[in-house]
Amino acid sequence: MIALTAAEVAAATGGTLHAVAPATVVHGSVVTDSRQVETGGLFVALPGEHVDGHDFAATAVAAGAAAVLAARPLADDEGRGLPTVVVPDVEVALGELAREVLARLRLAALEPGGSGLRVIGVTGSVGKTTTKDLLAQLCGAAGPTIAPVRSFNNEIGLPLTVLRADESTRFLVLEMGASGPGHLDYLTRIAPPDVAVVLVVGQAHLGGFGGIEAVARAKSEIVQGLVPDGVAVLNADDHRVLAMSALAPGEVVTFGASTGAGVRATDVVVDRAGRARFTLVVADGTAQRQEARVELRLVGEHHVHNALAAAAAALAVGLTLEDVAASLTAADALSPHRMHVVDRADGVTVIDDSYNANPDSMRAALKALAVVAGRDRRSVAVLGEMLELGEGSRAAHDAIGELVVRLNIGLTVVVGEGARPIGDGANREGSWGDEVALVDDVDAAERFLETELRPGDVVLVKSSFGAGLWQLGDRLTDPTTHPAATAVTS
């Protein structure tokens, strides 16, 4: 975080000082984990489901924290007061601190020699994290860039990401997630984007929204949260996203497969490893059509869409088409459990896409599995529950089972009672009995695969995070279990 006095932290958060001098300088990282404290940093004592950050405040101060952001005055075991900024609500205060820091950074960026800071926000039902990772690499090649680790995209993760920025930061890439109305409005009030990217309106978190049109309204909040002259980067292939053009305060840039899209891909070819190559075409109506070749290292044709979104946003903040194409060709998927491909020593290839799942991403991953396996390798899909789908959950799982049969997946392992309709759908669609196996949990799935997998198999692991198949993904790719395993795509 940029250097602030304790008094300035208190002013930004509406807090009061306890056992800390107003002139004390807070200049290190802002963290919620006492094990990550740096000298001079700020420890944020968030209450949690299982632990309360206030219980670790003394440990954080002993490790070098200059102050603690907390909901009450704190003391160590001997009764000595801990340096604390006491606030009514720690989570809200964290957001207010991030808002103040970003406002200061924007002013500094306008000064002679300033960084020219640009903020890019990314949202959508599918592909946020991959697009964020691509943008981090595109922008990172052009200047100092801050982007979230993993999927820090909520009311805690976003402020923590903002607070990592400093006066040298040229690009601040933010993933913005929403599981209900008003969430993106809150996040954009903390960090109004200069460029807002909307990928797709899909069926993720339907249970929290109440319907697809409500999802669209919620996603549109990022466009309404743009700075006054901000640029909206919208998916031309999704009519709900394209309709957000009417809400944009400034320029609209479109991307997609549609011929009218300003940034699109032509001549798309997918190789046997599941990687796409294409011609990146830019034709915004005001400049002559430009083209550049791109060869993605990411596995799955669906990543072409994410690459187009990242390209459009990068062009909007001033990168050249040549640099964008080169960086896309060199880019990897940075976050774990996102189409992470490992070739094991026993001849089995594992595609670990177990971080999250909804009907759209499940379909995309299954299609990628079918491509990688081709006709000469057996495809194995290990599928868990897709959570937060509301009343349509059973039908959505059933439809995935039907797709498994249509894609001719060799073996489908359905994990957990919540995912059982996948098996039902596969059987109704015409699967033979031995092509679908139902197991109770992750441990049972691992035991089944230990006896079932054979050299040449290609295995996809996919579920919502809460269903826990990420644990199986870790086990199947663990180098201590398979010492000669080699990651070919991260």
Side-chain angles (χ1 to χ4, degrees):
M1 185 178 74
I2 62 174
L4 296 175
T5 66
E8 289 174 318
V9 173
T13 59
T16 57
L17 300 180
H18 172 77
V20 58
T24 297
V25 177
V26 181
H27 59 82
S29 298
V30 179
V31 299
T32 59
D33 186 334
S34 61
R35 295 167 296 184
Q36 299 173 349
V37 166
E38 296 178 358
T39 301
L42 178 69
F43 175 65
V44 181
L46 285 169
E49 292 184 17
H50 306 293
V51 295
D52 187 341
H54 293 79
D55 297 337
F56 298 90
T59 300
V61 172
V68 178
L69 192 65
R72 60 179 183 271
L74 299 169
D76 62 18
D77 292 340
E78 297 180 4
R80 293 173 297 197
L82 297 175
T84 309
V85 179
V86 180
V87 295
D89 186 306
V90 177
E91 183 181 298
V92 170
L94 175 63
E96 290 301 313
L97 180 60
R99 187 209 305 261
E100 172 65 18
V101 166
L102 181 55
R104 293 187 180 212
L105 289 176
R106 286 191 184 277
L107 288 175
L110 297 175
E111 296 292 329
S115 67
L117 175 66
R118 302 297 299 277
V119 179
I120 305 172
V122 181
T123 196
S125 300
V126 182
K128 292 187 298 296
T129 300
T130 297
T131 303
K132 172 266 297 182
D133 286 344
L134 289 173
L135 269 169
Q137 293 169 86
L138 268 61
C139 293
T145 299
I146 294 294
V149 295
R150 300 187 297 277
S151 293
F152 273 30
N153 62 17
N154 62 10
E155 63 278 1
I156 297 170
L158 181 136
L160 289 174
T161 302
V162 171
L163 291 167
R164 290 169 47 214
D166 61 23
E167 293 87 351
S168 71
T169 303
R170 182 177 172 190
F171 302 107
L172 177 58
V173 180
L174 299 172
E175 181 179 340
M176 296 185 172
S179 54
H183 292 182
L184 292 180
D185 176 64
Y186 176 75
L187 296 180
T188 57
R189 282 187 280 116
I190 294 172
D194 296 288
V195 176
V197 182
V198 186
L199 298 169
V200 66
V201 172
Q203 300 181 63
H205 307 296
L206 277 182
F209 289 104
I212 194 71
E213 297 303 330
V215 175
R217 288 192 295 273
K219 297 301 183 186
S220 72
E221 291 170 10
I222 193 175
V223 177
Q224 298 174 78
L226 278 161
V227 298
D229 58 347
V231 178
V233 175
L234 305 178
N235 179 7
D237 301 332
D238 186 323
H239 71 276
R240 294 184 177 90
V241 175
L242 193 58
M244 298 176 194
S245 299
L247 303 173
E251 182 184 359
V252 174
V253 176
T254 60
F255 66 92
S258 303
T259 56
V263 179
R264 59 192 179 93
T266 62
D267 309 318
V268 179
V269 177
V270 181
D271 66 18
R272 272 299 309 272
R275 300 183 182 93
R277 57 182 183 272
F278 58 91
T279 300
L280 178 60
V281 179
V282 178
D284 60 9
T286 61
Q288 187 175 4
R289 170 181 167 129
Q290 297 177 280
E291 297 182 357
R293 288 294 294 172
V294 173
E295 296 185 10
L296 295 179
R297 300 176 65 179
L298 310 183
V299 175
E301 185 176 0
H302 58 288
H303 286 311
V304 173
H305 179 269
N306 299 327
L308 292 176
L315 292 167
V317 294
L319 275 66
T320 67
L321 178 61
E322 293 75 16
D323 288 343
V324 166
S327 293
L328 283 175
T329 296
D332 291 311
L334 304 180
S335 299
H337 305 293
R338 304 280 186 169
M339 295 303 286
H340 176 58
V341 180
V342 171
D343 286 324
R344 298 194 332 193
D346 59 1
V348 173
T349 296
V350 179
I351 304 174
D352 178 7
D353 197 36
S354 58
Y355 186 84
N356 217 336
N358 58 55
D360 297 316
S361 68
M362 187 74 85
R363 285 191 291 269
L366 285 167
K367 291 176 183 177
L369 169 64
V371 169
V372 174
R375 296 184 178 182
D376 55 342
R377 305 179 69 182
R378 183 174 67 152
S379 53
V380 179
V382 186
L383 308 178
E385 186 175 3
M386 300 178 289
L387 301 173
E388 301 181 55
L389 295 182
E391 295 180 356
S393 177
R394 182 174 183 83
H397 285 84
D398 189 282
I400 294 301
E402 295 175 354
L403 179 63
V404 163
V405 176
R406 293 169 189 168
L407 291 174
N408 199 30
I409 301 302
L411 172 64
T412 302
V413 182
V414 179
V415 185
E417 187 62 29
R420 180 178 289 272
I422 294 176
D424 296 340
N427 289 328
R428 278 196 301 273
E429 185 64 16
S431 173
W432 297 98
D434 58 356
E435 294 174 343
V436 177
L438 304 176
V439 298
D440 291 335
D441 52 31
V442 169
D443 292 337
E446 183 180 20
R447 290 192 299 270
F448 177 83
L449 292 172
E450 284 176 354
T451 61
E452 178 63 28
L453 292 182
R454 55 181 184 252
D457 285 350
V458 183
V459 184
L460 169 70
V461 183
K462 182 75 172 170
S463 76
S464 289
F465 188 83
L469 261 65
W470 60 269
Q471 301 171 69
L472 180 62
D474 282 343
R475 296 175 195 177
L476 292 177
T477 59
D478 186 351
T480 62
T481 304
H482 305 284
T486 303
V488 295
T489 298
S490 299

